[in-house]
Structures are given as C-alpha cells and as structure tokens.
Amino acid sequence: MTDVVLESILTCPSCGTSTPCIMPTDACQFFFQCAHCSALLKPKPGDCCVFCSYGSVKCPPIQQNKSCC
C-alpha cells in the first residue's frame, strides 16, 4: 500500500498561478478561489473536487482507489 500524498499544487486555469495546498482527508473541496486573479475554481465534469481537476496530485480517496465523497 502506498502512502497518501496530502500536498497538491493547484494551478489556476485562468491565470496559471500555482498554489500549494494541503488536501482535506475528511471532505471534498468543491471550490477554490485563486489568490492572484480571484477566479473561482470548480471541479470539471466527471471530477469529484478541484484537486482532481487542477491539482498536481489527485485527492486522498482517489489515490486510495476509493470513491470520493
């Protein structure tokens, strides 16, 4: 069993700013507001959270091959 990575770098699709974030382990994060351009990121269709859509690492449940939220 591999260790779950809790840090992911979210990259804003509007301005390209990258922000390191610690992912929650007990909930999905559906929204994230970019600190640079104020864009509100939402998951892409078919993704469960912003980390699965815009992160460098998928959320903890997906890393563990579980369903997310």
Side-chain angles (χ1 to χ4, degrees):
M1 184 163 143
T2 48
D3 291 330
V4 174
V5 177
L6 296 179
E7 185 172 356
S8 185
I9 298 172
L10 284 176
T11 302
C12 177
S14 296
C15 70
T17 297
S18 296
T19 306
C21 300
I22 300 298
M23 294 182 281
T25 57
D26 59 348
C28 286
Q29 186 164 340
F30 295 107
F31 303 105
F32 178 83
Q33 187 164 22
C34 177
H36 183 72
C37 73
S38 298
L40 184 62
L41 307 186
K42 298 179 233 177
K44 293 177 183 176
D47 285 342
C48 62
C49 66
V50 292
F51 295 108
C52 287
S53 293
Y54 306 105
S56 60
V57 177
K58 303 283 186 190
C59 69
I62 297 299
Q63 289 180 51
Q64 297 172 318
N65 293 320
K66 297 179 182 175
S67 65
C68 186
C69 306

